[in-house]
Amino acid sequence: PLQAPAGAELWVWFQPTVTDVDKAWKELSNILSGIFCASLNFIDSTNTVIPTASFKPLGLANGTDHHLLRYAVLPREVVCTENLTPWKKLLPCGSKAGLAVLLKAERLFHSSYHSQAVHIRPVCRDASCLAVSWELRQTLTVVFDFFSSGQGKKDWSLFKMFSRTLTDSCPLASQSKVYVDISPKNKEKELLEVSPPPTSVHEAIVQGDKKTYAVYDLLSPSLFNTSRSLNVQLKWKRPQDSSEMPIPTLHAQRYVGGYGLQTGEICTLIYNTHPYRAFPVILLETVPWYLRLYVHTLTITTKGKENKPSYIHYQPAQDRRRPHLLEMLIQLPANSVTKITIQFERALLKWTEYPPDPNHGFYVGSSVLSALVPSVTAMKDMDVEQSPLFTSLFPSSDGSSYFVRLYTEPLLVNLPTPDFSMPYNVICLTCTVVAVCYGSFYNLLTRTFHVEEPSRGGLAKRLANVIRKFRGVPPL
């Protein structure tokens, strides 16, 4: 799966002809917010940074002037159905035909993980590169967990995942394929069985590992001859034992240390599990302005020794204007864990700057790791031409390494929060006191007292007294 941070991420390289980059950045974020029904309009100067080493341009672009780059992340923004609908409208056939028929929102958003992305880049139209075209790449990543919901079985099918099957291909598509990973693990015999039989089998090097894929070509006329629909099924020939997941060569995690609501510490652990290869990694850290970083407390340790970065760029934050930006180039020794710590102090915000749920905490965006990871399996030059899908999704510089961009988990930090229920209590108490006191004084000042004369009674009372007098009864 393609790596993605928590929340919404937007990074743009502007053309050198743009005079006011900040103005264009604001207009673009508002336009994309309207197109995708997302809250990208909340991107402003307080969460926008200008990286100097990370996020090099994709496609045909000269990425030397990093002042044309803008990067922002909204860690609280999540993908919802209202974001998926305009995303599907960008497809050539929408959700009417082709692979997009499977994209049923009720099934996608009941999964364990979902992420969608849109990448736009300039590419060569032909081999001579005399003309330039714009490439729009849409990616949807979904993770279904059938092992826990299917009584410990790993079997799956398209109908079981999406409650739909494939009936035809998009008429506008030049390629429409389904890849199923049938790679044998731990060099065991193949225990997988896919049905119906695939049209072809493809081998590719994906992120340093050799993968075997069963390919279903929807444009093949023989695919829909036997049945009108395609329901790819994968079954295991025998029950599988619970095996541990393979550990990636490069992975990281991040957490907040310290106690109390004044000071704290951001800790990042970067793991290099390669047995004998060391490689550098670029770490991009974006911290909001209300966490005041103490840069002199920055420590980088590997195997108990200090690890000095070969490149470091730090841009301090300005209150309510821009966040902290910290970029470092760190060398990761083989089979090591690198720990990066930096202390911070929590600021006290104005009472109007707190969100509606201040006691939930404030989110800090994910850290970004960019590295060329050594490959275990060498890639041939002919593989690049035969598998354009995997080379575009997982670019490789040469046969010995591949590029990886990783994101750590976001942080949830508590800030000193006043008691927002106190103004409500004060207002209630004040209104009660004012109402009682004002009402009492108003009654005393405006009420008049009159002495009423005892009335003799009316005609009915006098007639009753005459009758009672004849009867010998006391009068009323």
Side-chain angles (χ1 to χ4, degrees), residues 188-208:
E188 297 177 353
K189 295 181 180 180
E190 295 189 11
L191 304 175
L192 299 175
E193 181 182 0
V194 289
S195 60
T199 55
S200 63
V201 178
H202 177 70
E203 291 186 355
I205 306 296
V206 180
Q207 291 193 346

Side-chain angles (χ1 to χ4, degrees), residues 211-394:
K211 297 286 187 179
T212 305
Y213 293 94
V215 183
Y216 294 89
D217 190 359
L218 270 65
L219 298 180
S220 177
S222 62
L223 190 62
F224 295 103
N225 285 344
T226 56
S227 61
R228 294 183 179 180
S229 64
L230 174 64
N231 182 24
V232 181
Q233 298 181 4
L234 186 143
K235 296 182 180 180
W236 292 83
K237 296 181 181 179
R238 68 167 187 231
Q240 277 289 294
D241 299 331
S242 58
S243 58
E244 296 182 358
M245 293 294 294
I247 300 176
T249 305
L250 174 66
H251 62 281
Q253 66 182 78
R254 188 170 64 148
Y255 59 92
V256 177
Y259 56 90
L261 290 178
Q262 183 181 3
T263 60
E265 189 178 56
I266 298 178
C267 301
T268 305
L269 299 176
I270 306 177
Y271 296 86
N272 175 17
T273 60
H274 202 284
Y276 56 88
R277 288 286 296 273
F279 56 89
V281 63
I282 297 177
L283 174 65
L284 171 67
E285 192 85 51
T286 306
V287 181
W289 61 268
Y290 44 78
L291 300 182
R292 311 192 190 281
L293 294 182
Y294 293 135
V295 188
H296 70 279
T297 62
L298 176 65
T299 59
I300 305 174
T301 56
T302 305
K303 295 182 178 180
K305 298 181 181 180
E306 182 182 1
N307 188 349
K308 291 185 178 181
S310 55
Y311 170 79
I312 186 168
H313 170 73
Y314 175 68
Q315 185 183 45
Q318 293 181 1
D319 285 359
R320 299 171 182 86
R321 290 187 61 186
R322 70 183 186 192
H324 300 270
L325 172 63
L326 179 62
E327 280 185 294
M328 295 180 292
L329 181 62
I330 306 170
Q331 188 75 16
L332 302 181
N335 197 13
S336 65
V337 181
T338 303
K339 184 177 182 180
I340 305 167
T341 61
I342 185 170
Q343 297 180 8
F344 65 89
E345 184 179 10
R346 296 170 170 86
L348 183 62
L349 304 180
K350 298 179 181 179
W351 72 277
T352 55
E353 295 174 341
Y354 286 91
D357 51 349
N359 292 296
H360 178 72
F362 290 76
Y363 283 93
V364 179
S366 305
S367 299
V368 185
L369 295 172
S370 305
L372 283 174
V373 180
S375 177
V376 179
T377 307
M379 180 187 293
K380 301 178 183 179
D381 295 336
M382 62 183 68
D383 296 340
V384 178
E385 299 178 358
Q386 293 178 357
S387 58
L389 170 67
F390 300 106
T391 54
S392 62
L393 294 180
F394 309 103

Side-chain angles (χ1 to χ4, degrees), residues 119-132:
H119 295 89
I120 302 174
R121 63 174 185 173
V123 295
C124 290
R125 187 172 298 181
D126 48 12
S128 59
C129 202
L130 297 177
V132 178

